[in-house]
Amino acid sequence: MMEILSTGPLCSVQDIGRKGYRSLGVSTAGAMDQVALRTGNILAGNDEAAAGIEVTVFPFKARFIGNARVAITGADCRPTIGEKAILPWWSLNVSDGDVLTLSPPSSGARAYIAISGGIDVPVVLNSRSTDIKAGFGGFEGRCLRRGDVLSVVGSCCHSGSFGVFPPEESLDHSFGVSREPGVTYVRAVPGPEYEEFPESTRRSMWNTAWTVTPESNRIGYRLEGPELRPYAPLSLLSHGIVPGVVQVPPSGKPIVMMSDAQTSGGYPKIATVIEADLWRLAQSPLGSRVRFVEIALEECIAASGELATHLSSISRSIWRGPWK
């Protein structure tokens, strides 16, 4: 078990999301950075889909009740167990009474805590994820607070301490473009209404280093930059949308739909960030800058394959290593 000693708002239990219910108006929810959570689960000896803790506001502190294995991934939040510093993207065994502390990140935006067995909360619509805006799933349908005690499903199954390189060091991030320092690049494909925007506006879409505004959250990332205006105002029926869709509201300022995005909307869709790069966007802090890189559908499929290979290689390395 784990007792929450200190946390800011928006710390919640998340797994890989609630699939198959968008037709009923139920958002996917789930971890914003799926790569970090899935990697943490592998390091902790769990199924990749197990529930962990997503930490967005720091500092965070928790006490372990009983022995367990823990993995810390995502943002580099300088984790410590007691007075001992832990490397980022690292896993180790902890003992009863040990206290984990996560500090404000030096890079990234969200940290993930995976515990051996996974967080044991009720399964709602095939997921343990917290739907924060609807108020169900996760721990009592809400964000975590000081004094909450979380149970886990099982005990640790690994020995030793080990970790992995962060995905930005292992996965391709050049995308064949000249990179500007301090900017996060994410790949995207043109959306259904792409041709409804003038060519100059489309160029602005791809050539702008957009700023992530303070109005960004788990529902969507609101970006600041040049206004994107279609040839003429579009009147669209409300239609289905998914995480990654880049909508353009009447303000002309794009919004990238994220994990808690609504299931339908009527704004024109100029592009869609590919699923394999949503983790990059999720780790972009408020005030940071992001750029879209246009790719073809074939490249999108290849990116998904690269990510799957990356995760499977981590799993193979751990389960075949001396610490299994």
Side-chain angles (χ1 to χ4, degrees), residues 16-30:
I16 62 171
R18 190 164 280 110
K19 314 293 184 180
Y21 295 94
R22 297 187 69 81
S23 62
L24 301 177
V26 179
S27 298
T28 304

Side-chain angles (χ1 to χ4, degrees), residues 198-210:
E199 183 180 352
S200 59
T201 299
R202 287 180 252 153
R203 285 200 301 268
S204 293
M205 162 76 185
W206 304 116
N207 296 335
T208 297
W210 300 91

Side-chain angles (χ1 to χ4, degrees), residues 180 183-185 204-212 224-226 288-292:
E180 180 181 351
V183 177
T184 297
Y185 289 74
S204 293
M205 162 76 185
W206 304 116
N207 296 335
T208 297
W210 300 91
T211 300
V212 180
E224 181 67 34
S288 65
R289 295 184 299 157
V290 300
R291 277 191 63 173
F292 302 106

